[in-house]
Amino acid sequence: MKEIALTFDDGPWGETTLQILDELIQRQIPATFMIWGEHALQYPNILKRAAEAKLFAFGNHTYSHPSLLTIPRKEILSEIKKTDEIVKKITGEIPRFIRPPFGDGNLETLQIINRPMICWSLDTESWQHHEAKLCLEKVRAAKDGDIVLMHDFQAADAKALPAIIDFLQQEDYVFKTIPDLLGNQLSDEPFYYYSRDSRNNVGFKK
Ligand SMILES: [Zn+2]
């Protein structure tokens, strides 16, 4: 049995997030949402609905979505703390892991935040091409243990999701949240994670 984790960044974001939630809840597909703090303040009820489904995990995607390589330590900590508090208030739990905006981070960032940083091994690239068909094409390259980057404020990802789930189910994938995919690894000292089987402490090599 192959495992895969779908992750959705930048929400909650109105209609497209609702569309994605409907699809995932109806088909009982676990997934992970990486929460942009400002957006959660704007759409608290959508995040609440996601939490009430008891199907999803939530990561901290900062408060205002800066590159963590461009701001000082104090601001990094405040970006994380503000979103921790917002997510805690709405879902009842502080996120156990971080999705760094743009995947940006290095050893110092990791030490400052001191929590698992969840990157990705497969990207639908919806933010670049805005086409549902191309999102599905990208997912055809899926491998066991992949973490898939999608965006719940991108209409192309929302539109492609039913076909992406169909494809992955035909290929015998089981859908996992990030904590379920990574398991006990998440209790180790913090790393950047790219997939179930790939991690380091220096961030994406650019
Ligand atoms: Zn983002």
Side-chain angles (χ1 to χ4, degrees), residues 10 20 22 49 73 88 90 105 139 144 154 161 163 204:
D10 295 355
I20 286 167
D22 282 350
R49 177 158 181 232
R73 176 191 168 91
K88 168 97 201 287
I90 299 171
V139 172
D144 184 25
Q154 292 289 351
L161 183 61
F204 269 122

Side-chain angles (χ1 to χ4, degrees), residues 24-126:
L24 295 172
I25 292 169
Q26 197 194 340
R27 298 175 71 170
Q28 288 291 293
I29 305 289
T32 302
F33 289 88
M34 305 297 191
I35 303 301
W36 180 329
E38 288 172 331
H39 294 172
L41 281 185
Q42 207 173 336
Y43 296 104
N45 291 337
I46 297 181
L47 178 53
K48 194 154 186 271
R49 177 158 181 232
E52 283 167 356
K54 304 277 177 218
L55 193 56
F56 308 121
F58 302 97
N60 182 326
H61 193 38
T62 76
Y63 180 71
S64 65
H65 208 273
S67 164
L68 298 176
L69 294 174
T70 62
I71 57 174
R73 176 191 168 91
K74 211 176 93 183
E75 278 180 46
I76 292 177
L77 291 171
S78 140
E79 283 283 332
I80 300 299
K81 184 161 179 260
K82 279 197 262 183
T83 293
D84 275 350
E85 285 167 358
I86 294 163
V87 173
K88 168 97 201 287
K89 199 171 162 205
I90 299 171
T91 71
E93 283 182 41
I94 289 179
R96 287 173 62 200
F97 47 85
I98 310 294
R99 161 76 42 90
F102 317 105
D104 284 352
N106 55 23
L107 177 60
E108 196 191 347
T109 324
L110 184 66
Q111 287 169 338
I112 292 170
I113 295 180
N114 195 30
R115 227 182 284 182
M117 306 278 265
I118 311 299
C119 297
W120 54 88
S121 48
L122 185 60
D123 180 356
T124 63
E125 295 176 25
S126 56

